[in-house]
Amino acid sequence: MNFLAHIYLSGDDELVTLGNFMADGIKGKQYKKFSPRLKKGILLHRSIDTFTDAHPTVRQSTRRLHAKYSHYSGVIVDILYDHFLAKNWQQYSKVPLEQFVSDFYDSLDRHYDVLTNPIQHMIPHMIADNWLLSYAKIIGIATVLHNMNRRTRNRSGMDRAVEDLQEHYTDFEHEFTSFFEELRAFSAERLEELNTEFPDTNTTEL
């Protein structure tokens, strides 16, 4: 899953959310140097990724793109799924997406010192272009895919995937909706396990 889904699935603890958000850049046992609440977010992120990558519905979405985009197809599906989460946000949260995103950006500012260096360098661009809110519109997804393609030096062709989104829109949306219900249940259960494993959740502890 991409940024918005990981943030959403983290629950109400800001530091768990931030750990989940920055987990991609934390490899192997590096997570052990972080506080318990950040550790929980990092490990939750890894569990979400493992569950997602192995899920047959996600693989169905990925297969639709594999012939064109090879190993990049999974990355594309992550982005497309965030679009459907943003587009249908009111089905998943009572907090409006605009407010949810604004609160998260405020959290990044409050806890800037605990963020990894790559995340600290990324967030000015993320906030300036309002990545999370832009996912709700196809034009926003097109921009994300265009930028991702540039990062691969135009080798991936990911910028063209917006055409696949439009062509198979109903199929992708149905697959996301079906899968995301299972992912929500899995994430809530995994978070409970992590709360037991890391019981020190003093709200003043960073």
Side-chain angles (χ1 to χ4, degrees), residues 16 18 27 41 44 47 69 95-96 102 119 125 130 150 160 173 175 198:
V16 173
L18 293 178
K27 307 301 181 184
L44 177 62
S47 296
Y69 308 104
V95 179
S102 177
I119 293 296
H125 307 286
N130 208 350
R150 287 178 58 193
R160 301 192 308 272
E173 184 166 24
E175 288 156 4
F198 300 100

Side-chain angles (χ1 to χ4, degrees), residues 40-58:
K40 283 194 291 185
I42 295 164
L43 294 175
L44 177 62
H45 181 109
R46 294 179 180 182
S47 296
I48 288 169
D49 281 355
T50 298
F51 181 86
T52 299
D53 291 344
H55 198 281
T57 301
V58 177

